[in-house]
Amino acid sequence: LVAIAWLHRGLWRVWGRGRSSLPASANSASVTVLVAARDEEASLPACLQALQSQQYDGTLEIIVVDDRSCDDTPNIVRRFADGWPALRLVEVVEQRLRCPKKNALAHGIEVSSGELLLFTDADCQPPPHWVRSMVRGFDDGVGMVAGYAAAQAGQRWIHSLLALDNLAVSAMGAGSMGMGAPLSCSGRNLAYRRRVYDEVGGYSSVGDLMGGDDVYMMRLIGQRTSWSIAYNADPESAVTSNASSGRLTDVIHQKLRHASKAAHYGGAARLLGVCIYAFHLSLVAGLYMVAAGSATGGGIVIFSVWSLRWVADGSLLWHFASRFTRHEGRLLRWMPALEVSYLPYILLGVPLGGLGLFRWKGSTTPLIRGQSFKERRVME
């Protein structure tokens, strides 16, 4: 409850900053938008059309990095680039970093020219004022700006559950940034200064960690620099991403990959993670004792505590969702299912993810901790 109250206060601070204090003059900085793409022929055209519709007065460069796609991804970029000088295709030819996405983005950043680097994914569609809104978030002293990336609910129950989970992670990220202690952000809607990227040494110190091209960079900026990290509360900056495939195996590997980041957190973030893990472990132990009949009368206490947790979480998600669109609030009916799914996800997903027992996109072999990319390719 203390943590939820802390995040509520952070959201109010973010909302209070609003659009009015964002410098309207900051619409002339040179910008590079980077998109890492691997086998994205189905999603990429919509993404490129959205980027082609950006309304920005400054210099805008679009770089799509083809990460060894086996489909028509590079040819799609070439067709769009014909008559669109701002678009550029970069193809990955060397695996210098163990994490494929960080490796791809590093290739793109190397040849980019923008003083501000904006990031989104190939399955996302930024709104027309996205670039302008994100650039206006760079007040003096701000090194990174994070924005909201809404996940489409799709047609299946698992899509709605994932969209609600995305809403929860986004609310945590926005609220914690408002309190000056950022816990999460999304590479689907992110921006930082090139000089900040250079100042922390790029991805060199986190390139062997799978995933986290967003969160690990955020933590590097917070730990190694004096730059602040801001959240863009402007609804015009909210990016929409396509619903996932919905295949259970893909979802499990994706969530294990996300959970693997927890092992690399430190400070207050690690303390919060330990408390969350202990809470769920105690909850499961209590439920087991009630089911076994060894906790007479404890069932009311256990379910009262759990219900209170649902109410607290729901209030935070509603607070966040109401800022962007009321349609997101409809996802709250999936709160009970999400809270139940968190039990195995947190208790099992965190240790399994920490061991590296997940597949990267397009791979058939799990990446084991300490295993090089070349070794994994040999196994395949």
Side-chain angles (χ1 to χ4, degrees):
L1 290 177
V2 171
I4 294 297
W6 182 76
L7 291 173
H8 270 296
R9 186 180 181 188
L11 288 181
W12 283 120
R13 287 184 176 183
V14 170
W15 301 166
R17 182 173 183 267
R19 297 178 58 187
S20 59
S21 64
L22 299 177
S25 60
N27 197 30
S28 58
S30 61
V31 174
T32 296
V33 176
L34 292 117
V35 181
R38 183 174 183 180
D39 296 336
E40 294 284 1
E41 63 178 5
S43 303
L44 190 57
C47 177
L48 292 177
Q49 289 169 3
L51 293 174
Q52 200 169 28
S53 301
Q54 292 298 307
Q55 298 178 18
Y56 181 66
D57 297 332
T59 302
L60 179 61
E61 173 186 52
I62 312 294
I63 293 181
V64 177
V65 185
D66 173 39
D67 186 15
R68 299 154 299 158
S69 296
C70 297
D71 62 4
D72 204 37
T73 292
N75 292 327
I76 290 174
V77 180
R78 293 187 183 98
R79 288 195 291 270
F80 270 86
D82 185 19
W84 184 13
L87 177 62
R88 182 176 180 181
L89 172 67
V90 174
E91 297 184 271
V92 172
V93 295
E94 183 183 1
Q95 189 73 31
R96 295 179 301 219
L97 302 174
R98 179 169 175 257
C99 175
K101 187 176 182 182
K102 293 196 197 83
N103 184 70
L105 291 177
H107 274 74
I109 293 173
E110 275 186 6
V111 300
S112 65
S113 60
E115 57 185 296
L116 296 180
L117 306 174
L118 274 63
F119 301 85
T120 191
D121 285 351
D123 61 349
C124 295
Q125 298 89 47
H129 299 293
W130 174 62
V131 171
R132 184 175 69 181
S133 179
M134 293 297 284
V135 170
R136 292 177 66 199
F138 282 92
D139 292 342
D140 291 339
V142 174
M144 171 182 276
V145 175
Y148 177 46
Q152 293 182 1
Q155 301 298 320
R156 300 177 56 192
W157 64 269
I158 197 167
H159 292 144
S160 297
L161 206 58
L162 290 172
L164 182 59
D165 177 61
N166 174 75
L167 190 69
V169 174
S170 301
M172 180 180 68
S176 59
M177 286 182 196
M179 296 301 291
L183 295 173
S184 178
C185 63
S186 172
R188 292 171 293 161
N189 190 354
L190 192 65
Y192 42 83
R193 300 178 189 268
R194 170 186 294 278
R195 59 181 295 190
V196 172
Y197 175 83
D198 294 334
E199 191 173 331
V200 301
Y203 298 121
S204 59
S205 62
V206 295
D208 285 342
L209 302 177
M210 299 307 297
D213 56 282
D214 41 23
V215 176
Y216 291 143
M217 178 58 67
M218 177 193 74
R219 297 192 64 78
L220 285 177
I221 293 172
Q223 293 169 358
R224 299 185 180 181
T225 76
S226 59
W227 295 96
S228 61
I229 299 172
Y231 195 85
N232 189 351
D234 181 3
E236 290 186 345
S237 70
V239 169
T240 301
S241 62
N242 297 341
S244 67
S245 66
R247 291 191 295 269
L248 189 57
T249 53
D250 291 345
V251 171
I252 290 174
H253 283 285
Q254 179 192 55
K255 302 311 292 183
L256 287 177
R257 189 171 73 247
H258 293 170
S260 69
K261 303 173 188 177
H264 304 285
Y265 290 168
R270 172 167 291 186
L271 177 61
L272 178 61
V274 170
C275 292
I276 292 174
Y277 194 89
F279 174 86
H280 287 84
L281 184 61
S282 301
L283 183 61
V284 169
L287 292 172
Y288 174 79
M289 292 172 66
V290 170
S294 57
T296 306
I300 296 178
V301 175
I302 293 294
F303 286 104
S304 295
V305 170
W306 202 7
S307 298
L308 189 59
R309 157 75 185 272
W310 293 8
V311 172
D313 285 355
S315 68
L316 179 69
L317 300 194
W318 180 262
H319 186 181
F320 179 80
S322 61
R323 176 72 182 187
F324 294 96
T325 169
R326 58 187 176 184
H327 298 298
E328 298 280 49
R330 298 175 183 174
L331 294 171
L332 293 181
R333 66 178 181 269
W334 291 94
M335 276 293 298
L338 183 67
E339 295 285 355
V340 171
S341 67
Y342 274 162
L343 295 177
Y345 171 58
I346 292 176
L347 296 181
L348 299 178
V350 171
L352 292 177
L355 292 173
L357 300 179
F358 54 83
R359 292 197 306 263
W360 188 257
K361 179 181 178 181
S363 169
T364 59
T365 308
L367 272 166
I368 308 300
R369 181 187 293 275
Q371 181 187 47
S372 70
F373 178 85
K374 183 177 180 180
E375 289 170 338
R376 198 278 307 278
R377 297 293 289 180
V378 170
M379 289 179 65
E380 290 183 356

